[in-house]
Amino acid sequence: AQSKTVLGYYINVQRVPNNCKHLPKRIVLKDQEILLNLSMAYYTINISAYNQAGESPQTTYIVPDFYTTDLPGQINVRHEGTKTVVTWTPEYSPKCFVVDWGTSKEDMHMKIVSTTTGSFILDNIQPYKLNKIMVHGSDACHCESFARHEKTFGVARFYSVEGVPRIGPTNVTILNITKHTALVQWTEIGAEDCLGFLQGYKISYIDSARTESPAVTVNASTTLYHLTGLKERTIYRVQVSGFTSAGEGPRTLSQPFRTPKYGTMEALCNCAAWHQS
């Protein structure tokens, strides 16, 4: 556009995924704002300005994820062999449901399901990957129009097959060491490395006499644990691992520390101190 005078704006609202052959009609605005009533499906919004000289390049805005627990329905996911069965009980009776599923915005799939079904079967879902499924109710079931009428019924996340975490937590450190206590702290395992729903962490520790204390488990939201009942003037080695419903993942490298006879002291800087007493 060569003129500084903007006459208006073109707005294109694009649903992702969009199995329709024809793109929805663009919206023409004079104002610099628009109120959109969207479902929790993924959307991109393309905005361009126009004047007497022509149309500007588009600016693309990706609508961020919505996070809410205040949804009218509950989605249930169960596994039958290699198939994933999704069921729901509608709180109202729209003409159809629109089902979205995938691992990310770039990997979403869509299908329109009749209300008489109330269920949906997914085949060939990749194992060990977190999937998101969304069910939207709509009173307009034609491909060109349902996106303007759909309302999100429920959202669920699932794994077709869960595995154990591929790694342990990182940055394991030992702090606040006293004669009989020590604080173990770590950084959580990233979602991409969990390969399943992380249920918690397991803290294992052993003293210089190779006496292993009973392992301690904490929930997945915890990233520290206070060891108690330790012996004074004793070297300990600590390992931390994560676990899912499929089992325990690999433990971290041993982190050594020594309890003092009096007061407090720092964790040992390297494993060579393990051989000193």
Side-chain angles (χ1 to χ4, degrees):
Q2 297 177 358
S3 172
K4 294 182 179 180
T5 303
V6 175
L7 298 178
Y9 302 91
Y10 294 128
I11 312 294
N12 284 293
V13 181
Q14 179 72 47
R15 190 187 191 280
V16 181
N18 182 15
N19 294 347
C20 305
K21 295 181 180 179
H22 304 289
L23 296 177
K25 294 181 180 179
R26 64 183 179 180
I27 303 168
V28 182
L29 291 178
K30 299 293 184 182
D31 299 325
Q32 291 182 321
E33 63 179 32
I34 182 173
L35 178 63
L36 298 171
N37 186 14
L38 302 176
S39 71
M40 292 177 66
Y42 291 111
Y43 284 90
T44 58
I45 301 173
N46 297 313
I47 305 171
S48 60
Y50 69 91
N51 59 16
Q52 293 179 346
E55 182 179 350
S56 72
Q58 289 185 337
T59 295
T60 299
Y61 172 74
I62 300 175
V63 178
D65 282 351
F66 293 96
Y67 294 97
T68 179
T69 56
D70 187 21
L71 293 173
Q74 179 70 38
I75 299 176
N76 299 303
V77 181
R78 71 178 188 273
H79 308 295
E80 295 182 357
T82 59
K83 296 181 179 180
T84 300
V85 180
V86 182
T87 59
W88 62 87
T89 302
E91 296 290 333
Y92 55 97
S93 298
K95 292 183 179 179
C96 64
F97 285 100
V98 184
V99 182
D100 294 322
W101 73 97
T103 57
S104 65
K105 176 179 176 291
E106 295 75 22
D107 179 47
M108 295 300 289
H109 309 274
M110 182 193 82
K111 186 169 183 178
I112 300 173
V113 180
S114 66
T115 54
T116 57
T117 306
S119 65
F120 189 61
I121 296 177
L122 302 174
D123 284 315
N124 301 319
I125 302 295
Q126 284 187 297
Y128 317 129
K129 287 195 173 184
L130 181 61
N131 286 267
K132 180 179 182 180
I133 186 164
M134 296 177 281
V135 178
H136 320 278
S138 178
D139 289 325
C141 302
H142 298 293
C143 187
E144 294 80 10
S145 59
F146 74 81
R148 291 179 292 167
H149 300 274
E150 67 181 1
K151 296 179 181 179
T152 302
F153 169 77
V155 177
R157 288 172 172 79
F158 70 94
Y159 289 88
S160 63
V161 177
E162 288 195 60
V164 302
R166 74 169 92 237
I167 62 172
T170 56
N171 301 322
V172 178
T173 54
I174 316 297
L175 305 169
N176 303 336
I177 304 168
T178 70
K179 292 198 311 181
H180 303 297
T181 64
L183 181 67
V184 184
Q185 187 171 300
W186 61 90
T187 300
E188 65 183 9
I189 301 174
E192 67 279 3
D193 293 314
C194 289
L195 308 185
F197 290 113
L198 189 68
Q199 295 188 347
Y201 295 98
K202 182 177 179 181
I203 301 99
S204 306
Y205 57 105
I206 189 172
D207 63 21
S208 51
R210 305 297 177 182
T211 302
E212 186 167 6
S213 300
V216 178
T217 59
V218 296
N219 61 45
S221 63
T222 300
T223 56
L224 55 85
Y225 183 77
H226 202 65
L227 296 176
T228 60
L230 304 178
K231 295 178 287 187
E232 64 183 47
R233 299 184 66 183
T234 302
I235 296 176
Y236 287 90
R237 300 176 74 175
V238 177
Q239 293 177 293
V240 185
S241 59
F243 62 92
T244 66
S245 63
E248 180 185 357
R251 296 182 180 184
T252 58
L253 294 175
S254 296
Q255 296 296 319
F257 70 94
R258 176 163 41 198
T259 57
K261 183 176 182 180
Y262 306 103
T264 63
M265 69 183 306
E266 300 299 321
L268 298 180
C269 60
N270 57 60
C271 291
W274 172 258
H275 301 289
Q276 301 174 3
S277 59

